[in-house]
Amino acid sequence: MDTRANRKIEGTGLGLSITKKFVELMDGEIRVESEYGKGTTFYLRIRQGFITDTPIGPTVAEDLRNFRYEDNRKHAHERLVRPDLSYAKVLVVDNMPTNLEVVLGLLRKYKMRVDCVTSGQAAINRIKDEKPVYDAIFMDHMMPEMDGMEATRQIRALGTDYAQTMPIIALTANVTAGNEQMFLNNGFQAFLPKPIDLMALDSVVQRWVRDKSREYSKGVVRP
């Protein structure tokens, strides 16, 4: 087999093994038919119960055949009207430059000023110096040396009203059940799972960053 074409993208092969174990745990079976140069077909059989023995009938069957998936959230994103928050300043904390670029791009659509740092200690120093004063912090959870949880704890421990009331939003790929409450119990105001959903981000920005009194004071009412 010529592996040169996929040398840079090959995986570990664990996916198939894990899938097989899950299928067997559900009293099912999985098999594969593969022909070199043509492709591979996987067959999966799993025992399932049923709610009713009433036949679905030709009408329901036809509806299922004609079903078309529509991503309503995608269309909602397209209709999303972002307020002009050019008066706001936020700090993004993440040790990965690519992650910083993604969040920076999303937040810049609100026209706010966005500063970035790559460590929890750098974030603590910014809040301690109060130069500049930020409206919120978007804090990555998993970082080397000091994670986002510890950085948030140390920011709160600075003791100033600014440090204790600053909205801090957790950014994390760890979205297992109960984690949101864990963050809320440890000094965070909100929780955004990665990859960041635009609607969830907008909800957080509207609640924790936007200050309508600043907009009204300028005589401008924005959406």
Side-chain angles (χ1 to χ4, degrees):
M1 179 178 179
D2 187 355
T3 61
R4 289 174 295 177
N6 68 344
R7 184 175 299 162
K8 294 183 179 180
I9 60 173
E10 61 185 4
T12 62
L14 287 174
L16 291 175
S17 176
I18 294 171
T19 300
K20 183 174 183 292
K21 289 185 181 298
F22 278 135
V23 170
E24 290 174 347
L25 286 171
M26 293 187 287
D27 195 25
E29 62 177 352
I30 186 171
R31 63 186 179 86
V32 59
E33 293 180 1
S34 183
E35 186 173 349
Y36 184 80
K38 289 188 176 182
T40 301
T41 303
F42 290 88
Y43 298 88
L44 175 66
R45 291 170 61 97
I46 298 177
R47 292 181 179 274
Q48 294 289 299
F50 59 90
I51 298 175
T52 175
D53 57 1
T54 303
I56 63 174
T59 301
V60 176
E62 183 64 23
D63 288 342
L64 291 173
R65 280 194 292 268
N66 294 331
F67 176 76
R68 296 292 183 273
Y69 175 73
E70 182 176 345
D71 189 351
N72 291 324
R73 293 186 68 82
K74 177 181 178 181
H75 294 297
H77 295 164
E78 294 170 351
R79 297 191 300 268
L80 182 62
V81 178
R82 297 174 178 84
D84 182 345
L85 304 185
S86 52
Y87 56 81
K89 303 181 187 70
V90 299
L91 179 66
V92 181
V93 188
D94 198 306
N95 65 297
M96 297 294 293
T98 52
N99 292 343
L100 289 175
E101 286 296 324
V102 170
V103 182
L104 183 63
L106 295 175
L107 293 177
R108 275 182 173 169
K109 294 179 183 291
Y110 295 88
K111 301 182 181 179
M112 66 179 75
R113 173 178 167 180
V114 184
D115 290 341
C116 300
V117 294
T118 57
S119 71
Q121 187 59 57
I124 295 168
N125 294 340
R126 290 285 184 106
I127 304 307
K128 183 186 299 183
D129 295 340
E130 298 189 21
K131 294 180 181 179
V133 173
Y134 294 105
D135 295 282
I137 301 175
F138 290 82
M139 179 81 72
D140 183 42
H141 175 211
M142 299 301 293
M143 294 184 290
E145 298 180 9
M146 181 188 297
D147 64 17
M149 199 84 71
E150 176 61 18
T152 297
R153 188 193 69 77
Q154 292 197 29
I155 287 173
R156 300 306 189 200
L158 292 174
T160 63
D161 289 341
Y162 171 53
Q164 292 182 335
T165 60
M166 158 74 61
I168 304 180
I169 296 93
L171 302 175
T172 180
N174 188 0
V175 292
T176 55
N179 273 6
E180 181 173 6
Q181 192 59 47
M182 177 189 69
F183 286 110
L184 298 180
N185 291 341
N186 284 275
F188 292 86
Q189 272 67 45
F191 167 94
L192 280 174
K194 296 179 181 179
I196 298 174
D197 178 84
L198 296 184
M199 299 301 290
L201 173 64
D202 187 71
S203 178
V204 165
V205 169
Q206 294 277 1
R207 180 173 181 183
W208 297 109
V209 181
R210 189 177 189 184
D211 183 351
K212 292 184 179 180
S213 65
R214 293 198 226 180
E215 299 170 16
Y216 297 146
S217 66
K218 296 179 180 179
V220 178
V221 179
R222 300 184 175 92

